[in-house]
């Protein structure tokens, strides 16, 4: 049987295995605390791996080796990278030919991507002859290659690869997912590069995506200009997949600006929250004055103290009585819930925190949610190919909320939480980490063996081998203690993902060198040498040099709170479009909550270094 025929037969078999697994439903729970079927894609890949491994044991060459490749491919899709490596090692010396050789290159490319070697992955993928592939394998091939291009910092090539999938995808869900990936990937490209590619491409589909991404970046334009650009795009690119991101017909009313004449800023200027409120106020007013210099007349701004957010209702009424037609604040969750009860549609609110109970449609919510950071850490770790996590979180309400947000997102993606450690700052943490990594069990087994044979042994403890990622929720001082402890307990090679809390906001290589290798997502204000709001940042640093260092994120919140106001109706009408702000890319969801997409970075030589695949 020739290699192309073998590959075609095996692809039919894969589909059969997947269909049978779907009919049977989820598998039963294992002895661990999670179910392997929480993600159907992973569960089906796992079943396929088991099936092809059994087939390989029963077959003779060349079917045996072909089944081994299919086993490795399925294991990689199930995120069982070490097992896939072992299977690939078993066929390393076999001389594949024809379509099976092309398939081998694809599997090796997937393996290199899973082990974070995107350039090597691309080299392997480029060796494959795509004419050898069935339509199903072509979908896999282009998807893996698109991921490798993105990981290698080549987003435009990633988009081009995804466009090749258009004619291969058959289900509406897969087409929608592919379009979403294209749109998200375009966010990684600077506007100057978007314009250059748009001017040079001969592909109308690619040009349409690029032109739409350029329009999104110009979201600050005046309403007439913006409407004209959107309407021109719709007329030029009829039937383009990007049409799903826009209303069926764009009107000036839909993308108009919010233009209040009098803004009341409600903040807890006195009490324990005073320093935080001062930073938000100063950022807000700095943006106000800079806009006044560049754009002329600005709305009147009145600052009202909410008395540690205990007098929110009174402050709101004072604002309304004083003629305010927009209220910004309050700053705390409790304050948001208070104002939601009394706010009226005639005087809408941009709250500077999020309510757990929901708010009326005229109360928008915007803040520095640590839960957002935890969810994005989970998304980044999942994108990077990890599966089994241990959570290490600082004790208290903040730590509980952050770890719960990570765990919820991680499990929703299909990930597994093997253990969770909570610690009190200053308390002994070593024993908790030792226990979570099963070092104590390893030592106990060794001691029992020595007692049984009554012979002294040289013994090195071993950590548990199933953990492949650690999530860390801690403040900078405590966070710096964790990587050395993990290294001491044989887990130096386990990657750590964290919230932005691990970074104080300004580079400090001397202190942060112990965080080398830790990945976290933070606001552009802290990570960019010249962020979009660089002028505002410089102005704040000049006005309040002694205070800026410790309150970076709150200054940025104040800046964005002012800058986002005119764009609220536009973001509401175009939920897939974002404002690029000091605190991230800002989207407005259906519940009136502004969500932030942060930039991911990794500590190197004691300082954050932006990742190639991040914004």
């Amino acid at each position: 049987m020739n290699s192309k025929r073998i590959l075609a037969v095996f692809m039919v078999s894969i589909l059969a295995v997947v269909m049978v697994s779907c009919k049977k439903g989820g598998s039963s729970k294992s002895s661990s605390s999670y179910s392997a079927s929480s993600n159907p894609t992973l569960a089906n890949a796992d079943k396929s791996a088991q099936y092809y491994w059994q087939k390989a044991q029963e077959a003779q060459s060349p079917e045996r080796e072909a089944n081994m490749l299919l086993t490795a491919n399925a294991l990689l899709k199930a995120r069982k990278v070490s097992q896939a490596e072992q299977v690939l090692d078993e066929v390393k010396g076999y001389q594949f030919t024809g379509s099976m050789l092309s398939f081998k290159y694809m599997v090796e490319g997937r393996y290199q991507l899973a082990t974070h070697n995107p350039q090597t992955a691309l080299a392997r993928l480029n060796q494959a002859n795509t004419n050898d592939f069935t339509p199903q394998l072509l979908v896999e091939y282009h998807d893996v290659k698109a991921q490798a291009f993105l990981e290698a910092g080549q987003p435009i090539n990633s988009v081009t690869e995804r466009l090749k999938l258009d004619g291969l995808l058959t289900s509406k869900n897969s087409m929608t997912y592919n379009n979403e990936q294209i749109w998200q990937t375009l966010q990684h490209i600077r506007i100057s590069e978007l314009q250059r590619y748009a001017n040079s491409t001969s592909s109308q589909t690619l040009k349409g995506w690029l032109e739409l991404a350029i329009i999104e970046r110009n979201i600050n334009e005046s309403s007439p200009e913006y409407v004209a650009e959107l309407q021109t795009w719709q007329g030029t690119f009829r039937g383009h997949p990007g049409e799903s991101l826009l209303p069926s017909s764009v009107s000036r009313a839909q993308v108009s600006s919010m233009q209040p004449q009098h803004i009341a800023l409600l903040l807890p200027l006195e009490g324990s929250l005073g320093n935080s409120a001062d930073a938000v106020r100063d950022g807000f007013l700095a943006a106000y004055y800079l806009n006044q210099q560049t754009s002329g007349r600005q709305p009147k701004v009145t600052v009202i103290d909410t008395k540690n957010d205990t007098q929110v209702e009174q402050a709101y009424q004072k604002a309304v009585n004083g003629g305010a037609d927009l209220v910004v604040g309050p700053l705390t969750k409790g304050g948001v819930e208070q104002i939601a009860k009394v706010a009226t549609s005639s005087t809408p609110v941009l709250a500077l925190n999020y309510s757990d109970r929901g708010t009326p449609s005229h109360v928008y919510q915007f803040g520095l949610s640590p839960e957002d950071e935890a969810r994005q850490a989970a998304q980044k770790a999942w994108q990077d190919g990890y599966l089994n996590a241990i959570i290490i979180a600082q004790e208290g309400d903040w730590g509980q909320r952050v770890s719960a947000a990570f765990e919820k997102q991680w499990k929703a993606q299909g990930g597994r939480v093997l253990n969770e450690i909570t610690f009190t700052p200053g308390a002994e943490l070593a024993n908790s980490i030792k226990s979570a990594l099963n070092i104590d069990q390893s030592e106990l087994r060794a001691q029992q063996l020595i007692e049984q044979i009554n012979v002294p042994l040289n013994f090195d403890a071993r950590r548990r081998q199933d953990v492949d990622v650690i999530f860390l929720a801690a403040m900078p001082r405590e966070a710096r203690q964790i990587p050395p402890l993990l290294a001491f307990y044989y887990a130096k090679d386990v990657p750590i993902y964290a919230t932005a809390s691990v970074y104080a906001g300004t580079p400090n290589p001397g202190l942060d060198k112990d965080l080398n290798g830790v990945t976290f997502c933070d606001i552009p204000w802290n990570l960019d040498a010249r962020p979009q709001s660089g002028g505002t940042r410089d102005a704040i640093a000049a006005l309040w040099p002694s205070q800026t260092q410790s309150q970076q994120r709150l200054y940025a919140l104040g800046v964005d709170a002012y800058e986002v106001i005119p764009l609220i109706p536009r973001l509401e009408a175009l939920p897939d479009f974002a404002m690029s702000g000091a605190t991230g890319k800002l989207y407005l969801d259906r519940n009136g909550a502004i969500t932030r997409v942060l930039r991911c970075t990794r500590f190197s030589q004691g300082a954050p270094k932006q990742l190639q695949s991040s914004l």
Side-chain angles (χ1 to χ4, degrees):
M1 185 181 291
N2 66 45
S3 61
K4 194 161 187 176
R5 174 65 177 159
I6 290 172
L7 192 54
V9 170
F10 288 159
M11 287 308 299
V12 171
S13 303
I14 287 176
L15 294 175
V17 171
V18 172
M19 289 173 69
V20 168
S21 356
C22 291
K23 288 178 182 176
K24 287 182 178 178
S27 59
S28 59
K29 287 190 177 181
S30 64
S31 58
S32 58
S33 62
Y34 53 80
S35 167
S37 64
S38 61
N39 183 314
T41 301
L42 297 186
N44 289 334
D46 205 20
K47 288 177 185 292
S48 294
Q50 295 172 35
Y51 173 81
Y52 284 107
W53 177 255
Q54 185 61 40
K55 295 282 285 184
Q57 306 316 301
E58 299 168 355
Q60 300 295 317
S61 184
E63 285 84 357
R64 176 184 180 277
E65 288 76 17
N67 272 298
M68 296 286 274
L69 276 184
L70 287 161
T71 301
N73 193 47
L75 286 169
L76 289 167
K77 288 194 281 187
R79 299 185 176 229
K80 296 186 174 181
V81 180
S82 60
Q83 293 179 34
E85 182 179 14
Q86 293 171 17
V87 174
L88 287 172
D89 282 344
E90 290 201 33
V91 296
K92 186 177 289 183
Y94 185 80
Q95 298 299 311
F96 290 96
T97 60
S99 61
M100 290 309 302
L101 179 60
S102 293
F103 182 55
K104 172 178 175 284
Y105 289 139
M106 192 193 86
V107 176
E108 288 177 343
R110 191 190 289 276
Y111 168 74
Q112 292 296 332
L113 181 61
T115 52
H116 311 293
N117 299 301
Q119 296 290 359
T120 307
L122 289 168
R124 291 287 187 276
L125 292 165
N126 286 336
Q127 289 178 281
N129 182 355
T130 56
N131 293 326
D132 289 334
F133 290 154
T134 62
Q136 295 93 338
L137 275 180
L138 272 177
V139 169
E140 285 192 38
Y141 174 85
H142 290 304
D143 184 59
V144 173
K145 200 169 183 181
Q147 293 177 52
F149 273 129
L150 184 58
E151 192 68 22
Q154 301 177 47
I156 190 64
N157 289 334
S158 181
V159 169
T160 301
E161 207 62 35
R162 291 208 169 276
L163 292 179
K164 295 176 183 177
L165 287 173
D166 282 352
L168 298 169
L169 299 173
T170 55
S171 75
K172 185 176 180 180
N173 286 344
S174 60
M175 292 175 187
T176 300
Y177 173 79
N178 193 51
N179 290 335
E180 289 171 351
Q181 293 302 303
I182 289 171
W183 186 244
Q184 289 176 22
T185 302
L186 289 169
Q187 309 306 309
H188 296 244
I189 305 175
R190 297 181 185 278
I191 189 167
S192 59
E193 292 294 289
L194 290 171
Q195 291 165 338
R196 182 168 67 85
Y197 293 133
N199 291 334
S200 62
T201 184
S202 58
S203 165
Q204 276 297 98
T205 305
L206 177 56
K207 188 178 181 67
W209 280 117
L210 294 166
E211 294 283 2
L212 191 59
I214 291 167
I215 293 171
E216 186 224 16
R217 302 295 175 86
N218 294 331
I219 199 166
N220 291 316
E221 284 186 341
S222 67
S223 293
E225 292 173 336
Y226 206 64
V227 170
E229 286 188 21
L230 288 169
Q231 290 176 340
T232 299
W233 187 93
Q234 286 182 315
T236 304
F237 298 101
R238 293 189 187 280
H240 190 279
E243 283 185 328
S244 62
L245 304 179
L246 303 175
S248 55
S249 60
V250 179
S251 68
R252 183 170 177 177
Q254 287 174 304
V255 292
S256 61
S257 299
M258 181 181 283
Q259 297 178 330
Q261 300 303 305
H262 183 180
I263 301 171
L265 180 60
L266 275 55
L267 292 170
L269 299 172
E270 296 180 5
S272 60
L273 296 172
N275 288 338
S276 299
D278 286 347
V280 174
R281 177 200 61 199
D282 294 345
F284 191 91
L285 293 177
Y288 168 85
Y289 287 120
L290 283 175
N291 274 276
Q292 189 175 58
Q293 291 173 14
T294 57
S295 305
R297 186 172 178 271
Q298 297 294 303
K300 176 182 177 182
V301 173
T302 302
V303 181
I304 301 175
D305 184 15
T306 61
K307 309 296 183 184
N308 219 27
D309 270 7
T310 60
Q311 297 183 19
V312 170
E313 295 182 25
Q314 296 94 315
Y316 178 81
Q317 199 56 54
K318 181 178 179 180
V320 173
N321 293 341
D325 52 355
L326 175 70
V327 168
V328 177
L331 191 57
T332 63
K333 279 182 174 290
V336 177
E337 290 173 0
Q338 289 180 55
I339 207 166
K341 297 175 184 176
V342 296
T344 63
S345 57
S346 58
T347 309
V349 172
L350 175 61
L352 298 179
N353 210 315
Y354 300 91
S355 169
D356 295 327
R357 302 177 185 178
T359 57
S361 60
H362 52 274
V363 177
Y364 302 96
Q365 302 167 73
F366 174 43
L368 301 177
S369 166
E371 291 92 337
D372 272 354
E373 297 169 13
R375 283 186 284 269
Q376 287 178 61
Q379 290 163 356
K380 177 58 179 167
W382 185 258
Q383 175 191 326
D384 289 345
Y386 300 112
L387 179 65
N388 299 318
I390 287 178
I391 296 173
I392 302 176
Q394 207 160 309
E395 197 170 61
D397 176 67
W398 176 86
Q400 289 176 358
R401 289 192 290 115
V402 169
S403 60
F406 176 88
E407 183 171 1
K408 184 178 179 180
Q409 179 67 35
W410 192 244
K411 288 182 175 179
Q413 294 166 162
R416 302 161 179 167
V417 175
L418 305 178
N419 208 326
E420 184 171 351
I421 303 170
T422 57
F423 68 94
T424 303
E428 179 60 43
L429 181 58
N431 287 336
S432 296
I433 289 180
K434 182 178 180 181
S435 176
L437 294 171
N438 290 353
I439 301 293
D440 51 353
Q441 294 181 24
S442 178
E443 291 175 341
L444 178 60
R445 287 192 297 270
Q447 185 59 40
Q448 290 171 340
L449 178 60
I450 291 170
E451 291 174 356
Q452 288 174 6
I453 64 176
N454 198 28
V455 175
L457 297 173
N458 290 324
F459 168 74
D460 289 326
R462 283 172 56 84
R463 67 167 175 86
R464 64 188 303 168
Q465 296 300 301
D466 52 351
V467 58
D468 56 15
V469 67
I470 289 168
F471 172 67
L472 175 61
M475 296 297 125
R477 181 183 298 177
E478 289 72 30
R480 294 174 189 130
Q481 303 172 28
I482 306 300
L485 276 174
L486 291 169
F488 182 78
Y489 287 118
Y490 316 102
K492 185 177 182 178
D493 59 329
V494 180
I496 301 171
Y497 290 72
T499 60
S501 60
V502 300
Y503 181 48
T506 53
N508 193 335
L511 289 176
D512 288 338
K513 61 186 178 182
D514 284 333
L515 292 171
N516 284 345
V518 174
T519 301
F520 67 99
C521 302
D522 202 355
I523 64 175
W525 182 278
N526 281 349
L527 300 179
D528 286 1
R530 295 292 302 172
Q532 183 142 338
S533 49
T536 315
R537 188 176 68 177
D538 294 344
I540 290 173
L543 288 168
W544 302 285
S546 62
Q547 302 175 33
T548 306
Q549 298 296 318
S550 61
Q551 302 285 359
Q552 295 275 5
R553 296 180 179 94
L554 290 168
Y555 283 115
L557 175 63
V559 170
D560 276 357
Y562 187 81
E563 299 285 1
V564 80
I565 289 169
L567 298 181
I568 286 175
R570 196 167 293 181
L571 294 173
E572 204 163 19
L574 303 167
D576 291 296
F577 283 35
M579 171 190 133
S580 294
T583 60
K585 289 184 75 71
L586 308 183
Y587 295 84
L588 184 59
D589 70 19
R590 294 176 181 175
N591 299 315
I594 294 174
T595 59
R596 300 176 297 133
V597 175
L598 305 172
R599 293 197 178 177
C600 293
T601 187
R602 183 173 293 139
F603 278 103
S604 176
Q605 298 180 329
K609 182 179 180 181
Q610 187 168 311
L611 303 177
Q612 280 190 311
S613 59
S614 185
L615 292 176

